[in-house]
């Protein structure tokens, strides 16, 4: 099976966000594999172990993305591909990313593509479904279980807490939701092996694309931090009195009751 | 004149609130636009179409087909594209719900259009959306093509309902075919009580709830307030409640008017799911708990003492 994973690096969840010159300051920040993409990598490895084949992890990013690709290889992926847009793409959006991925997948024989259902930074969740549309293959989002038997695929997906069972077939794109699996940590031998696994680096040129082809359809005008919240009020006194005061504050001051 | 489509979303044959919020958002994008409601479903589409008009749409277009009973990407794409092709709108607004998230990128792809997802505000031709789990915000605009956005439920207030308002409701015939995904079964886990993502008030429990039974006082408070019950990942991991209740970075992102956090410490991953709530109340034994840093009002105390008393007090002051 030809198994592909779409991966993105994101800020570590514990990172504080700072803005410098109108953009999010990335200098010194810790990056991780987008947590939802970890589910995708884990599932891809399991599919390969059950059905054979090869797992290729693809990212559209910059030189720094190599670190997260190596982590994916250390988890057990076989190959990695970095489409480095550092020099060519100023402000890409989901349209841009999908144009690049579409070009990459053009000559690939795909059985399944796995992606996170959303990235925790930009949080648009667009890339998976957009790419499936361009490749003209079915997609199923926010999956929590996946069984492949021949060409047939049985999926359980999360629909705002409800569980929907879906049947479809390969080739297919899925986006992964929490609950699908427990992503493994890279083992030491895994990390050693990862250093020798192939990591292909491409630029837009290599995909016969130029800057105009991937020009974004949307534009970020401003980035800002939420207003500093005023310190809350911790109530005092006997529980009965606190509760009375709280209800009255919620009614008269906050006006939410 | 600008024409904007506002997508209704039906659940069990009823239009969800977010449907009416899409009409309101379309009006905010362009006050003078013709706002056309679009209703796809297997039944009750006329009712929902009229509701869209009562909530401010000028007219509505429907597609009725058995294959639209439950959302699937293939069937809904075909139905939506048929309406889009007929209407050729300048823009579209859809809810950032499970089906909106699934469908909107595909429509945007078909139209080679931009899409600004999960917006919480409209400021002229700019759209405000939270990024980095609500730790920052960005304003985005469309550079060309259709103005296509999805709105986070519960952030853009619907217009007042006007039952005397009327408008044309027309239907489009679509032959829906070649469905590549088939829904075999739906297990309802989250449908008890109020829908978390649309709730105005949420009562949420954390590890401090200590057991499945420990959620009982929270449910009683929620019933009294007409609220939904949610949970932190800690409570879900400990098996006190189903993961369908989880609020946080993984799990649901909610922005109710009032969020009452009971026995929740306030890990950053949890805050990512609720810190944009309008008013936050924290009830926790530990005065140092991080949740107090984001709370508007805090009570330091045992939730098993405080929550029942709070329920009684709300009853008394009702």
């Amino acid at each position: 099976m030809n198994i592909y994973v779409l991966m993105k690096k994101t800020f570590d969840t514990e990172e504080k966000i700072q803005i410098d010159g109108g953009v999010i300051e990335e200098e010194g920040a810790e990056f991780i594999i987008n947590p939802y993409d970890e589910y995708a990598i884990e599932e891809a490895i399991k599919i390969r172990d059950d059905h054979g084949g090869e797992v290729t992890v693809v990212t559209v990013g910059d030189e720094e993305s190599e670190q997260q690709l190596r982590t994916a290889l250390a988890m057990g992926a076989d190959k990695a591909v970095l489409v480095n847009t550092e020099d060519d793409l100023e402000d890409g959006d989901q349209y841009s990313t999908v144009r690049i991925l579409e070009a990459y997948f053009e000559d690939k024989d795909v059985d399944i593509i796995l992606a996170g259902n959303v990235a925790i930074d930009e949080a648009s969740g667009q890339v998976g479904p957009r790419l499936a549309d361009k490749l003209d293959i079915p997609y199923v989002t926010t999956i929590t279980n996946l069984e492949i038997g021949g060409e047939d695929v049985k999926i359980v997906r999360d629909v705002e807490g409800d569980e929907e069972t879906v049947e479809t077939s390969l080739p297919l794109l899925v986006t992964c939701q929490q609950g699908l699996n427990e992503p493994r940590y890279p083992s030491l031998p895994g990390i050693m092996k990862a250093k020798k696994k192939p990591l292909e680096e491409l630029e837009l040129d290599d995909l016969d694309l130029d800057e105009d082809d991937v020009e974004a359809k949307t534009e970020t005008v401003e980035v800002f931090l939420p207003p500093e919240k005023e310190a809350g009020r911790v109530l005092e006194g006997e529980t009965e009195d606190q509760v009375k005061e709280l209800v009255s504050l919620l009614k008269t001051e906050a006006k939410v009751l | 004149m600008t024409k904007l489509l506002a997508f209704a979303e039906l659940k069990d044959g009823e239009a969800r609130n977010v449907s009416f919020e899409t009409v309101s958002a379309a009006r905010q994008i362009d006050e003078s636009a013709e706002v056309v409601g679009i209703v796809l479903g297997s039944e009750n589409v006329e009712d929902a179409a009229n509701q869209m008009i009562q909530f401010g749409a000028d007219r509505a277009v429907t597609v009725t087909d058995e294959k639209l009973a439950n959302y699937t990407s293939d069937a809904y794409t075909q139905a939506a594209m048929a309406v889009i092709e007929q209407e050729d709108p300048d823009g579209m607004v859809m809810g950032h719900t499970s089906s909106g998230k699934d469908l909107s990128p595909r429509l945007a792809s078909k139209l080679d259009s931009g899409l600004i997802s999960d917006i919480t505000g409209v400021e002229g031709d700019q759209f405000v959306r939270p990024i980095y789990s609500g730790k920052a915000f960005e304003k985005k605009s469309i550079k060309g093509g259709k103005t296509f956005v999805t709105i986070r439920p519960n952030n853009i207030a619907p217009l007042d309902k006007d039952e005397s308002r009327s408008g044309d409701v027309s239907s489009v015939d679509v032959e829906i075919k070649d469905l590549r995904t088939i829904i075999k079964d739906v297990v309802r886990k989250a449908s008890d009580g109020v829908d978390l993502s649309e709730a105005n008030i949420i009562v949420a429990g954390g590890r401090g709830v200590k057991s499945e039974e420990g959620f009982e006082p929270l449910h009683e408070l929620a019933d009294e307030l007409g609220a939904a019950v949610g949970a932190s990942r800690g409570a879900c991991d400990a098996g006190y409640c189903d993961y369908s209740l989880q609020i946080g970075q993984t799990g649901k992102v909610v922005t109710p008017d009032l969020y009452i956090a009971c026995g929740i410490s306030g890990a950053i991953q949890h805050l990512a799911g609720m810190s944009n709530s309008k008013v936050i109340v924290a009830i926790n034994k530990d005065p140092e708990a991080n949740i107090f840093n984001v709370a508007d009002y805090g009570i330091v105390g045992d939730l098993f003492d405080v929550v029942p008393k709070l329920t009684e007090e709300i009853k008394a002051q009702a």
Side-chain angles (χ1 to χ4, degrees):
Chain A
M1 286 242 274
N2 294 322
I3 307 157
Y4 289 88
V5 179
L6 309 181
M7 190 200 80
K8 184 182 185 186
K9 70 170 159 62
T10 57
F11 268 47
D12 194 328
T13 46
E14 306 283 342
E15 285 288 338
K16 272 217 152 48
I17 302 295
Q18 286 171 346
I19 292 170
D20 189 25
V23 293
I24 304 264
E25 175 62 84
E26 295 195 352
E27 195 69 34
E30 286 289 325
F31 282 90
I32 56 170
I33 295 174
N34 174 43
Y36 291 100
D37 300 351
E38 282 189 338
Y39 299 124
I41 296 165
E42 175 66 32
E43 198 66 17
I45 294 167
K46 282 180 158 174
I47 295 170
R48 180 205 56 203
D49 291 349
D50 289 348
H51 301 273
E54 201 171 60
V55 175
T56 307
V57 180
V58 185
T59 198
V60 176
D62 55 29
E63 209 169 308
E64 310 292 320
S65 310
E66 186 176 332
Q67 198 188 333
Q68 285 72 38
L69 286 173
R70 289 286 173 207
T71 304
L73 293 170
M75 286 172 75
D78 301 292
K79 297 197 311 198
V81 177
L82 165 62
V83 184
N84 189 340
T85 58
E86 214 167 355
D87 300 331
D88 301 320
L89 190 59
E90 192 76 17
D91 289 303
D93 66 358
Q94 298 81 13
Y95 174 84
S96 319
T97 304
V98 170
R99 277 288 278 148
I100 293 164
L101 291 170
E102 183 191 358
Y104 170 77
F105 280 106
E106 197 173 46
D107 60 352
K108 304 290 182 293
D109 186 13
V110 170
D111 290 303
I112 187 165
I113 302 175
L114 300 101
N117 87 76
V118 72
I120 60 169
D121 49 9
E122 295 283 330
S124 84
Q126 292 183 27
V127 168
R130 270 181 182 267
L131 180 63
D133 182 68
K134 290 293 179 215
L135 301 178
D136 198 21
I137 58 174
Y139 64 90
V140 181
T141 53
T142 56
I143 72 163
T144 55
N145 195 44
L146 177 71
E147 287 168 40
I148 300 175
E151 293 289 295
D152 298 329
V153 183
K154 193 173 167 192
I155 287 172
V156 179
R157 64 185 293 255
D158 166 47
V159 182
E160 297 179 7
D162 292 338
E163 280 179 3
E164 198 174 86
T165 304
V166 176
E167 287 181 0
T168 184
S169 59
L170 300 177
L172 174 72
L173 184 147
V174 294
T175 74
C176 304
Q177 172 69 311
Q178 184 198 17
L180 178 62
N181 54 44
E182 276 300 322
R184 69 194 69 190
Y185 290 101
S187 64
L188 194 57
I191 294 168
M192 300 309 290
K193 268 194 226 161
K195 290 178 181 164
K196 293 194 185 114
K197 287 181 179 173
L199 190 155
E200 184 184 9
E201 189 173 332
L202 301 171
E203 294 194 10
L204 291 190
D205 256 1
D206 302 311
L207 297 169
D208 288 328
L209 292 171
D210 61 36
E211 286 163 60
D212 293 343
D213 295 327
V214 298
E215 197 190 332
K217 300 277 186 188
T218 60
E219 174 171 46
T220 303
V221 185
E222 192 187 341
V223 179
F224 58 99
L225 297 177
E228 209 55 59
K229 233 185 153 159
E230 278 178 45
R233 197 150 129 200
V234 175
L235 308 179
E236 284 172 4
E238 294 296 318
T239 309
E240 283 78 4
D241 297 332
Q242 291 192 38
V243 163
K244 259 200 181 80
E245 192 185 352
L246 175 63
V247 174
S248 126
L249 284 167
L250 291 176
K251 284 190 168 177
T252 55
E253 191 179 85
K255 298 191 169 64
V256 289
L257 284 187
Chain B
M1 186 165 60
T2 309
K3 187 197 283 186
L4 300 170
L5 290 187
F7 278 78
E9 184 174 328
L10 304 188
K11 189 170 186 183
D12 302 328
E14 298 285 327
R16 295 178 68 177
N17 284 336
V18 71
S19 313
F20 312 130
E21 296 170 0
T22 66
V23 177
S24 175
R27 283 267 172 257
Q28 286 183 37
I29 291 168
D30 186 345
E31 178 78 50
S32 63
E34 181 186 30
V35 177
V36 182
I38 154 167
V39 187
L40 315 176
S42 60
E43 54 181 4
N44 275 359
V45 291
E46 290 270 326
D47 282 354
N50 284 316
Q51 279 187 304
M52 292 295 275
I53 292 166
Q54 288 170 356
F55 274 98
D58 295 300
R59 59 185 177 89
V61 180
T62 64
V63 181
T64 312
D65 194 298
E66 264 175 35
K67 296 191 184 79
L68 299 171
N70 282 306
Y71 171 81
T72 62
S73 164
D74 282 346
Y76 271 68
T77 298
Q78 291 173 38
M81 283 307 293
V83 176
I84 292 166
E85 275 158 21
Q86 173 184 297
E87 297 291 334
D88 190 25
D90 301 287
M92 296 177 285
V93 185
M94 196 178 276
H96 197 67
T97 57
S98 180
S99 58
K101 283 184 234 182
D102 192 274
L103 180 61
S104 58
R106 183 162 178 199
L107 297 180
S109 170
K110 293 228 170 295
L111 299 166
D112 264 330
S113 162
L115 167 61
I116 303 177
S117 307
D118 197 20
I119 66 162
T120 56
V122 180
E123 294 179 9
D125 58 359
Q126 295 181 4
F127 301 95
V128 181
R129 59 189 301 272
I131 50 173
Y132 295 87
S133 312
K135 286 189 261 185
F137 286 82
E138 65 179 2
K139 282 185 193 167
K140 295 202 85 163
S141 64
I142 301 271
K143 274 162 73 176
K146 296 195 194 302
T147 301
F148 193 3
V149 298
T150 61
I151 60 170
R152 183 179 288 196
N154 226 351
N155 280 270
I156 295 168
L159 302 168
D160 290 333
K161 187 175 183 180
D162 175 359
E163 297 199 4
S164 67
R165 199 180 152 85
S166 63
D168 181 55
V169 177
S170 59
S171 67
V172 177
D173 284 329
V174 185
E175 194 200 336
I176 294 171
K177 56 186 183 195
D178 301 332
L179 302 185
R180 298 172 297 183
T181 57
I182 299 160
I183 298 174
K184 283 296 186 187
D185 188 29
V186 181
V187 181
R188 287 292 168 86
K189 301 180 86 176
S191 52
D192 286 353
V194 184
D195 189 335
L196 256 186
S197 54
E198 292 200 333
N200 289 319
I201 304 178
I202 291 173
V203 179
R207 277 192 186 274
V209 171
K210 291 200 183 103
S211 67
E212 202 177 332
E213 297 72 42
F215 265 95
E216 206 36 53
L218 275 61
H219 278 289
E220 284 165 18
L221 174 59
D223 286 347
E224 194 55 40
L225 291 167
V229 173
S232 71
R233 180 171 187 171
C236 298
D237 282 346
Y240 305 160
C241 62
D242 194 85
Y243 277 103
S244 63
L245 300 188
Q246 187 182 330
I247 292 164
Q249 185 157 275
T250 46
K252 291 199 172 68
V253 176
V254 296
T255 42
D257 293 337
L258 173 59
Y259 190 92
I260 305 177
C262 310
I264 291 177
S265 61
I268 195 159
Q269 289 82 357
H270 184 71
L271 301 187
M274 49 63 77
S275 63
N276 297 129
S277 302
K278 285 167 203 101
V279 176
I280 298 169
V281 171
I283 299 167
N284 202 299
K285 272 200 292 204
D286 174 10
E288 302 298 317
N290 192 40
I291 192 78
F292 287 114
N293 293 325
V294 298
D296 299 277
Y297 306 109
I299 292 183
V300 178
D302 184 351
L303 73 95
F304 295 106
D305 176 36
V306 177
V307 173
K309 283 178 177 153
L310 181 57
T311 310
E312 286 313 309
E313 185 59 33
I314 286 163
K315 268 188 203 161
Q317 289 199 28

